[in-house]
Every structure is written in structure tokens, then in C-alpha cells.
Amino acid sequence: MGGDARNMKVGFAQFEPVFGDIGRNIEKAEQLLGGTEAELVVLPELFNTGYVFTSREEAVALSESIPGGKTTAALSRIAREKGIHIVAGLAERAGDNIYNSAVLVSPAGHQGTYRKTHLFNEETIWFTSGDRGFQVYDIGNCRIGIMICFDWFFPESARILALKGADVICHCANLVLPFCQDGMATRCLENHVFAVTANRTGTEKQGGRNCLFTGRSQVMGPDADVLYRAGSDTEEVGVVDIDVLAARDKKLNRYNDLFKDRQSGLYGDLLKPFAGGQ
Ligand code: ACM
């Protein structure tokens, strides 16, 4: 199984961003990362701005260009000073579009940007759906893929990342539904990959109601083992030592290999529109 071990420390920082206070939220992330020994750390979706925008103007005002904006610059500085890789969610301004994006930064600076593909609920008002698909990055010790929150609900997201060779799925999140943390067991199991879900805590007002974020960030292993799970309302950093090579072995048993057993010739219908309905 899998050959020699290749150990690596991966984790997340979970906290409650203050809506609209980018400086404070970057400071908070830096403070949490300051005491962390890890090679790869994932921060939540929209970690620098908070989640509940109330107008397009507000979303425009809080968005930044990537890599030119101050948040990517701050993350790159932190990555350089600490010698780590960081994946973090932020609102990206590109021309007339605002994307719900995540950056990968390394000690050498900005390495890539993912734009959320599957927008959730009112995000569809402020953001444009991602137009770049799912990319995998080789960060030396391992290959990582990035997805953002609601992307998990679409099995294609994690599948494509795994087929492109991701060992670890970095999953920036602002989860409001209760299903994801357990649901990720299926994503990990069917693809035999690690996943780091970095969620936030706290509440933000949405219209007349409170939008409650569910915390419980986690690192999950390829056998759907919960390697670390945070509390539902704690400020917390979770780091786990993983053997990256465990994700390279897709054999389930002597006769089944998760990827070699795929019957791709029969999957063409996946690309056709929904034929059901009322
Ligand atoms: C979500 O996609 N932020 C629920």
C-alpha cells in the first residue's frame, strides 16, 4: 500500500471574521498562523471580509484584485515569513465581475486563484460563477486542489480535482447548512483523498434573520476518518500530520481500484441537461 510515507503537517484556522473589517481579519489570521507549525494552512471562504453582503456596491467596495490587492500581499508576506503555503478565500474584483475566490500563496508569493463555481443562495446576486474550472497545484510535498464551500454539494468538483491528481482538497467554507462536515466523508472516500474544510464561526445578520455559521472545521482522511474536528463556535487552529502518499493508492481491495474501475464510456449522460422535472 502506497510505498514509503511522505509526512506533512496540514490544517486550518477557524475564527469569526468581523464583517467589512479587512485589516482586523487579516490581523486575526496572522495571529492564529503565528503560533502554528504547519506546511499548509487553509483559511475560511471570504475570511477577510465576512459573508453577508447587502448590496453589489458593498461587494465591489470590499473586493480586491488578485494578486495586486492588499489581502494577497499580506498573505504572501505571512507565507514568506513563516515558510508555509496558505489557501484563503476572498472577494476578487476582475473588470466588471466580482468572484468568490480563493488564492494559493507560497513563500515565493501568489501561485494561483480559484473562482467558486457553484454559488450558494444570495451569492448569485453579488458574484459571477467561476470560469476557470478546477486546478491542481504541486506544492512540493503534495498536490493540492481548491474548492469553496457549496462546491462540495456537487460531486464533480472533488472528482475532477482527484482525477487531476490532488492528494489534499483545500476547502474554504462559510457553511450554514448542517450537512457538509459529515458529507465530506463521501467526497473523501469516493476519491480516496484528504480534505481540509476550513469553516468560520459566528453569525451575521441577513435581512431580518441571523445567518449562523457552523464551525466544526476538519481534516478528513482518505478512508473518511475524521483526523481533527474543531468545535462549533471556537476560535481554533487544527493541524494534523498526514501521510500524503495514502491518497495516491486508489485500491479499495485486491479487485477494486477506484479510478481504474471507472466506466467512463457510460458516463457521457453526465454532460447532458437534466431530463427529469414535473
Ligand atoms: C456557502 O457556499 N457559503 C454555503
Side-chain angles (χ1 to χ4, degrees):
M1 294 275 288
D4 298 334
R6 189 187 297 174
N7 287 87
M8 182 176 175
K9 286 184 168 48
V10 303
F12 58 81
Q14 167 176 297
F15 64 100
E16 177 174 4
V18 173
F19 186 83
D21 195 344
I22 293 176
R24 180 268 180 196
N25 295 328
I26 291 173
E27 245 173 59
K28 171 58 71 178
E30 181 164 13
Q31 177 202 328
L32 290 170
L33 290 172
T36 304
E37 286 304 319
E39 288 147 275
L40 169 66
V41 179
V42 185
L43 300 180
E45 175 183 15
L46 297 169
F47 90 95
N48 64 335
T49 58
Y51 183 75
V52 180
F53 297 98
T54 54
S55 69
R56 175 150 171 98
E57 292 68 40
E58 190 177 51
V60 169
L62 290 171
S63 62
E64 301 178 18
S65 65
I66 297 175
K70 67 179 170 194
T71 299
T72 309
L75 291 169
S76 298
R77 174 185 56 74
I78 296 166
R80 186 176 64 247
E81 287 171 5
K82 285 202 61 73
I84 60 175
H85 286 78
I86 303 170
V87 174
L90 68 157
E92 177 189 5
R93 192 177 332 137
D96 288 338
N97 293 323
I98 312 287
Y99 296 98
N100 183 343
S101 295
V103 289
L104 165 66
V105 297
S106 77
H110 174 258
Q111 301 298 312
T113 305
Y114 167 68
R115 295 172 168 168
K116 186 175 184 177
T117 306
H118 304 98
L119 299 174
F120 181 72
N121 207 350
E122 285 156 3
E123 289 172 33
T124 52
I125 305 172
W126 330 122
F127 296 116
T128 301
S129 304
D131 54 356
R132 294 183 172 170
F134 300 92
Q135 302 304 328
V136 168
Y137 302 91
D138 190 334
I139 64 166
N141 267 355
C142 83
R143 299 185 295 247
I144 67 161
I146 303 173
M147 64 182 194
I148 300 180
C149 209
F150 193 46
D151 281 329
W152 86 271
F153 228 96
F154 299 82
E156 294 85 354
S157 315
R159 182 59 124 201
I160 291 169
L161 290 173
L163 285 172
K164 286 185 159 184
D167 305 307
V168 178
I169 292 180
C170 299
H171 183 204
C172 306
N174 274 191
L175 293 161
V176 292
L177 300 176
F179 312 115
C180 175
Q181 289 87 342
D182 292 336
M184 281 303 291
T186 307
R187 298 289 97 81
C188 289
L189 204 53
E190 67 199 1
N191 295 299
H192 212 250
V193 291
F194 293 91
V196 181
T197 297
N199 195 17
R200 60 161 288 178
T201 58
T203 57
E204 287 182 19
K205 285 255 182 278
Q206 187 162 46
R209 58 199 163 84
N210 277 330
C211 189
L212 172 68
F213 301 94
T214 60
R216 301 171 73 232
S217 298
Q218 64 187 20
V219 181
M220 190 168 264
D223 295 319
D225 30 345
V226 179
L227 302 175
Y228 190 108
R229 185 174 277 169
S232 56
D233 59 2
T234 47
E235 184 173 292
E236 196 167 340
V237 176
V239 174
V240 171
D241 204 338
I242 64 166
D243 174 10
V244 173
L245 297 183
R248 303 254 168 121
D249 182 359
K250 305 299 184 187
K251 282 197 219 53
L252 194 60
N253 56 45
R254 187 170 164 197
Y255 299 103
N256 293 113
D257 181 295
L258 291 177
F259 283 8
K260 290 191 183 134
D261 289 355
R262 294 174 68 245
Q263 303 293 329
S264 312
L266 299 179
Y267 300 161
D269 287 346
L270 278 173
L271 298 179
K272 297 184 180 156
F274 180 47
Q278 306 294 342

